[in-house]
Amino acid sequence: MSDTPAPPDDVVLEAVGLTKHFPVRGLASHGVVHAVDGVDLQLRAGQVLALVGESGSGKSTVARLLARLYPQTAGEVLLHGRPVTAIKGRAFRAYCRTAQMIFQDPFASLNPVHTVRYVLTRALRIHHRGLRGDALEAALRELLERVQLNPDAYVDKFPHELSGGQRQRVAIARALAAEPEVLLADEPISMLDVSIRLGVLNLLRDLRDRLGIAILYITHDIASARYFADRTHVMYAGRTVETGDSESVTQAPAHPYTQLLVRSAPDPEHLGDPVRTGAVGEPPSMVDPPAGCRFHPRCPFAAELCRTRRPELLAIGAGREVACWGYAADEPGAPDLGAATATQEVAR
Amino acid sequence: MSTTDDLTRDALRPPRAPGAGRPVLEIRGLAVDYGYGTRRVHALRGVDLTLHEGEVLGLAGESGCGKSTLVYAATRLLAPPGLIAAGEVLYHPEVGEPVDILRLADDELRASRWQDTALVFQGAMNSLNPVYRVGRQLTDTIAAHRPRSTRAEREERARELLRMVGISPERIRSFPHQLSGGMRQRVMIAMALALEPRVLIMDEPTTALDVVMQRQILEQIMQLRDRLGFAVVFITHDVSLLIEIADRIAIMYAGEVVEDAAADDVYRRPRHPYSVGLLHSFPPLHGPRRELGGIPGSPPDMGHLPAGCPFADRCGFVVDACRTVHPTLVSTAVPGDDPSRQVACLRHDRAALAAAGAPEVEVPAALAVR
Ligand SMILES: Nc1ncnc2c1ncn2[C@@H]1O[C@H](COP(=O)(O)OP(=O)(O)OP(=O)(O)O)[C@@H](O)[C@H]1O
Ligand SMILES: Nc1ncnc2c1ncn2[C@@H]1O[C@H](COP(=O)(O)OP(=O)(O)OP(=O)(O)O)[C@@H](O)[C@H]1O
Ligand code: SF4
Ligand SMILES: [Mg+2]
Ligand SMILES: [Mg+2]
């Protein structure tokens, strides 16, 4: 296996106008779930992109579309600039090698009757057909070492003999057997114990740096996005509402939803005086999403314009974009975000 | 909504004074085993913990450390193969002598339990009955609690409870599947409040929810607590959340409480190596970015616990005695510390080291931050 990273910052995998509508069964035939609507994103070699957003906002659907687990309704997935169209056959298998998915539940993703040796040997054989004997054994040991598991101690264990963090490492090792250019990690640490989460994130970061892998990191934990991801992409109700470098997005969130998300996150610095966001309301229906800005029913700044016209992503500084009318200064009837605009540090 | 104004006013009240109240629940030497013979697991090993009136007590620790077992045992809801091996749980009624809940006859227990202590279970939002409307499930609970109430009174109370947890009273006609997960979880909290508890125990009430929804629910619980004055036991693995909302935090490890201190002390002056490790396990949302390592290794197998300190294998401060002497909760060995805080670590326990004939050791600087 080569350890030469791809040229850093090259766009490896790209989504353009990615859209997925799921038909709703049992209701009128025209009903669809607007799971993802027109999402653009780029995964670059040696970089981590965090995808954050509320439950049901379409994050997993984006990852599954990128992994080609099902076809998109509209839009394109580009690998090194070329549209990915194969849905079966050799080209499809080659694509699956390139983009590997890591799931939330390390308990469900490993078959309980197989040892670590079996799981990894099988993955290596699928992706490197000629590999056998000593070369296979060496590749197996190298995989385990890559995920910081001592081969002698772990190679003959069954999943139930491993801790959650160790299982997730085995799942990552299995993905690495394909020598992927992209890892699509859907909440890879949320089922793990707090004390072992960091170890798995640090491992993924190490793989990013040493192998130059591009990583999509889906999470609910915006503090971990700040820690681990170069850039952060915020979704609300199937759409992108904000993107930028993780530090800016978390320290000076621009979109009112991102502001609510950051203020809602647990923060021990607010000890004894918990944040009161005063927020009310529920996530919107994805079958009949709100017109205009999808956040308007919960947005404290919503104006008439927000209720009727959809805000496009606007550039608001180096590498930052936000889809909120509050940043369209020249637009008549634009809402006034007042002190809440992104130039300000998020205040209490 | 008519109550929004009251709630906002409540939110403006000054923060409560922690720890001042008298005890409501005193857990003493509680031990629980699962299973028998060679397969027996000592899931709780002599836990001491006191909950005071009006206090928010946080219970944190890794999966499997015994948090749920503790609250099930303390409310006598533990199901087989769980078995209480030792201990007492003293409940202090508003008037009269304390009673040991573990030794009450079943009828005495039935009379007292729900009135005094209400539980919101882990994953509770999935335990609403799918075939009954939300309102019916609330009024049934109220009827059990107040058998002499009229139907109209119960309906009115159900609406009031929904309003309290921030759900529109019209939802009384909804079936559970018509509500989002966050709303179902709030209905479960409303059911617990229908019992007008003095103690509200919540086992991971918000873990399955989105961050924004979690915050909305916590705000409501805290406002209700400020208004109604019940004590809260809040269980979660999210230490950063606990530090924010709890008055006091008990950190559990492998079936024991290893540190028990004011939230502020746990956060800024942790004394147990495991607490220190936990605090270095979550990245900060604000402030300087720091390199974080988590805690090496993984929690011990509860079926095969080591002889000495259960944390010894993962501990950066281990001394020889830790392999043989089992630490118990003692005062910290740091001058100036709150005398009521406790820690189970030999690096703070000179007496235990001396009794074992082990050499005296200093408290490491990392466990004595001022
Ligand atoms: N196979 C499917 N069929 C129908 N609807 C679906 C399907 N998969 C997802 N959805 C719907 O699409 C929307 C987006 O779901 P998705 O799983 O992508 O959200 P998410 O952001 O990953 O949420 P979470 O944070 O809870 O994992 C939701 O409304 C969901 O109910
Ligand atoms: N019914 C049971 N039979 C046997 N062992 C059990 C049973 N229930 C719990 N245990 C064991 O008792 C220990 C404590 O479990 P408990 O559910 O109290 O942990 P917890 O701290 O609540 O964990 P979590 O954070 O995952 O909810 C665990 O090691 C568990 O394996
Ligand atoms: S008693 Fe020893 S092993 Fe246990 S936490 Fe303290 S120093 Fe570490
Ligand atoms: Mg998801
Ligand atoms: Mg539990």
Side-chain angles (χ1 to χ4, degrees):
Chain A
M1 274 178 248
S2 83
D3 262 19
T4 7
D9 308 336
D10 261 16
V11 176
V12 181
L13 195 62
E14 188 170 3
V16 181
L18 201 58
T19 299
K20 181 72 184 177
H21 294 171
F22 292 104
V24 190
R25 269 177 267 279
L27 283 180
S29 56
H30 59 268
V32 294
V33 177
H34 297 246
V36 175
D37 261 336
V39 165
D40 296 340
L41 58 79
Q42 299 173 331
L43 300 179
R44 294 169 185 273
Q47 288 200 13
V48 177
L49 176 73
L51 194 55
V52 304
E54 107 181 310
S55 183
S57 60
K59 305 180 296 294
S60 295
T61 306
V62 167
R64 294 199 178 107
L65 287 169
L66 292 176
R68 312 295 294 160
L69 297 185
Y70 37 56
Q72 65 269 33
T73 308
E76 273 189 319
V77 176
L78 307 174
L79 178 65
H80 296 295
R82 281 187 296 278
V84 180
T85 48
I87 52 161
K88 54 178 196 278
R90 260 180 71 174
F92 178 68
R93 283 197 300 274
Y95 180 81
C96 292
R97 257 200 306 280
T98 308
Q100 288 276 318
M101 198 144 167
I102 294 166
F103 295 93
Q104 179 173 11
D105 187 354
F107 300 83
S109 68
L110 293 176
N111 189 330
V113 305
H114 293 149
T115 60
V116 170
R117 174 188 296 280
Y118 180 91
V119 169
L120 296 183
T121 318
R122 197 166 149 243
L124 282 166
R125 282 227 186 92
I126 289 173
H127 299 298
H128 309 270
R129 286 181 175 269
L131 213 54
R132 48 181 60 84
D134 287 351
L136 181 63
E137 189 65 22
L140 172 66
R141 296 182 71 88
E142 193 184 329
L143 271 184
L144 282 168
E145 275 159 12
R146 256 196 196 148
V147 296
Q148 293 148 24
L149 291 175
N150 175 354
D152 296 318
Y154 291 101
V155 76
D156 293 315
K157 296 240 190 251
F158 286 93
H160 73 263
E161 298 173 297
L162 302 175
S163 72
Q166 289 164 349
R167 271 179 253 205
Q168 197 58 293
R169 281 169 205 270
V170 172
I172 293 170
R174 181 176 55 183
L176 290 179
E179 293 184 45
E181 290 181 69
V182 179
L183 284 179
L184 305 166
D186 191 354
E187 309 212 32
I189 57 167
S190 62
M191 305 264 291
L192 304 180
D193 263 318
V194 182
S195 75
I196 53 187
R197 286 182 183 179
L198 251 295
V200 172
L201 276 195
N202 287 344
L203 166 68
L204 287 172
R205 193 160 62 172
D206 177 61
L207 296 173
R208 171 197 74 180
D209 294 341
R210 274 197 307 136
L211 309 180
I213 296 178
I215 299 179
L216 179 71
Y217 171 59
I218 295 180
T219 183
H220 275 131
D221 177 6
I222 190 148
S224 77
R226 178 193 185 213
Y227 174 74
F228 173 53
D230 302 281
R231 292 178 58 78
T232 293
H233 193 108
V234 186
M235 287 183 69
Y236 185 80
R239 289 202 185 133
T240 303
V241 293
E242 176 161 4
T243 70
D245 65 281
S246 300
E247 191 65 14
S248 309
V249 171
T250 55
Q251 302 310 297
H255 194 280
Y257 170 68
T258 319
Q259 292 172 355
L260 176 62
L261 178 66
V262 170
R263 249 183 306 131
S264 299
D267 185 349
E269 284 299 322
H270 297 153
L271 190 145
D273 183 16
V275 174
R276 314 255 186 187
T277 61
V280 289
E282 294 291 331
S285 155
M286 300 293 278
V287 176
D288 185 17
C293 171
R294 288 184 178 174
F295 188 57
H296 85 251
R298 298 167 76 184
C299 181
F301 309 106
E304 190 50 34
L305 178 62
C306 310
R307 287 184 260 276
T308 48
R309 275 176 55 206
R310 170 152 83 98
E312 300 290 338
L313 279 171
L314 292 169
I316 56 156
R320 294 196 67 189
E321 289 181 312
V322 59
C324 167
W325 284 119
Y327 294 84
D330 305 333
E331 191 69 32
D336 181 6
L337 306 193
T341 43
T343 45
Q344 223 102 7
E345 270 283 288
V346 223
R348 287 292 309 276
Chain B
M1 232 180 289
S2 65
T3 50
T4 313
D5 283 345
D6 312 15
L7 292 181
T8 324
R9 222 175 307 124
D10 280 349
L12 298 175
R13 280 175 17 169
R16 68 274 175 185
R22 58 187 196 103
V24 202
L25 264 188
E26 263 183 283
I27 298 171
R28 294 283 162 257
L30 190 59
V32 172
D33 295 341
Y34 285 105
Y36 305 92
T38 52
R39 315 198 59 175
R40 181 152 66 182
V41 171
H42 300 293
L44 276 193
R45 305 188 295 150
V47 168
D48 294 332
L49 198 59
T50 302
L51 176 71
H52 301 91
E53 263 175 7
E55 172 181 62
V56 179
L57 171 64
L59 212 53
E62 280 166 296
S63 184
C65 71
K67 305 179 296 294
S68 298
T69 302
L70 176 61
V71 297
Y72 286 141
T75 49
R76 266 182 59 173
L77 289 170
L78 193 68
L83 194 79
I84 295 175
E88 54 186 23
V89 178
L90 296 180
Y91 174 70
H92 297 252
E94 265 161 303
V95 287
E97 290 300 298
V99 289
D100 183 351
I101 293 184
L102 302 184
R103 279 165 192 82
L104 284 185
D106 280 355
D107 53 338
E108 295 169 304
L109 180 73
R110 220 169 293 126
S112 78
R113 182 206 291 158
W114 290 118
Q115 206 150 338
D116 304 327
T117 304
L119 258 136
V120 177
F121 296 104
Q122 197 165 357
M125 61 187 191
N126 300 320
S127 60
L128 284 167
N129 190 327
V131 304
Y132 294 130
R133 293 176 201 274
V134 164
R136 158 92 187 266
Q137 304 193 44
L138 275 166
T139 50
D140 282 358
T141 308
I142 297 164
H145 179 62
R146 285 191 196 161
R148 272 187 292 261
S149 57
T150 66
R151 214 190 132 147
E153 282 167 356
R154 291 199 288 268
E155 282 259 325
E156 184 43 42
R157 175 80 177 137
R159 288 171 195 279
E160 184 189 335
L161 286 166
L162 284 180
R163 235 180 269 125
M164 266 189 191
V165 295
I167 295 178
S168 157
E170 291 95 70
R171 289 293 191 166
I172 206 163
R173 301 258 155 268
S174 299
F175 287 99
H177 75 266
Q178 295 170 321
L179 305 180
S180 70
M183 289 168 109
R184 286 203 300 271
Q185 191 64 355
R186 279 182 283 171
V187 170
M188 292 310 297
I189 293 168
M191 303 252 266
L193 293 174
L195 310 163
E196 300 166 59
R198 276 178 82 208
V199 177
L200 175 62
I201 299 177
M202 291 186 287
D203 191 356
E204 309 257 8
T206 55
T207 309
L209 302 174
D210 187 81
V211 184
V212 172
M213 195 50 58
Q214 161 171 294
R215 174 68 58 183
Q216 270 176 242
I217 294 179
L218 285 177
E219 272 172 45
Q220 280 155 352
I221 295 170
M222 290 304 148
Q223 284 167 357
L224 290 168
R225 199 287 305 255
D226 290 352
R227 198 156 53 147
L228 306 176
F230 48 79
V232 178
V233 178
F234 195 103
I235 300 180
T236 176
H237 60 264
D238 189 340
V239 199
S240 50
L241 179 68
L242 268 196
I243 291 167
E244 202 184 320
I245 63 165
D247 300 312
R248 208 153 53 81
I249 296 177
I251 307 268
M252 290 185 66
Y253 191 80
E256 295 172 37
V257 173
V258 295
E259 178 146 22
D260 178 353
D264 179 61
D265 281 334
V266 170
Y267 181 48
R268 299 186 206 282
R269 293 167 287 276
R271 296 298 180 240
H272 196 282
Y274 176 61
S275 314
V276 174
L278 274 184
L279 292 167
H280 285 92
S281 293
F282 57 87
L285 180 54
H286 299 294
R289 297 166 57 114
R290 46 188 157 93
E291 209 39 47
L292 298 165
I295 303 177
S298 46
D301 175 357
M302 294 293 284
H304 302 90
L305 285 170
C309 172
F311 190 60
D313 279 346
R314 304 173 76 187
C315 182
F317 305 98
V318 60
V319 292
D320 287 346
C322 304
R323 304 286 179 190
T324 50
V325 182
H326 188 165
T328 53
L329 280 176
V330 294
S331 296
T332 65
V334 182
D337 265 2
D338 170 6
S340 70
R341 69 178 297 178
Q342 292 194 298
V343 64
C345 167
L346 294 182
R347 305 291 310 243
H348 290 276
D349 195 346
R350 298 213 169 93
L353 287 175
E360 194 169 309
V361 288
E362 290 289 300
V363 182
L367 305 183
V369 178
R370 293 287 334 148

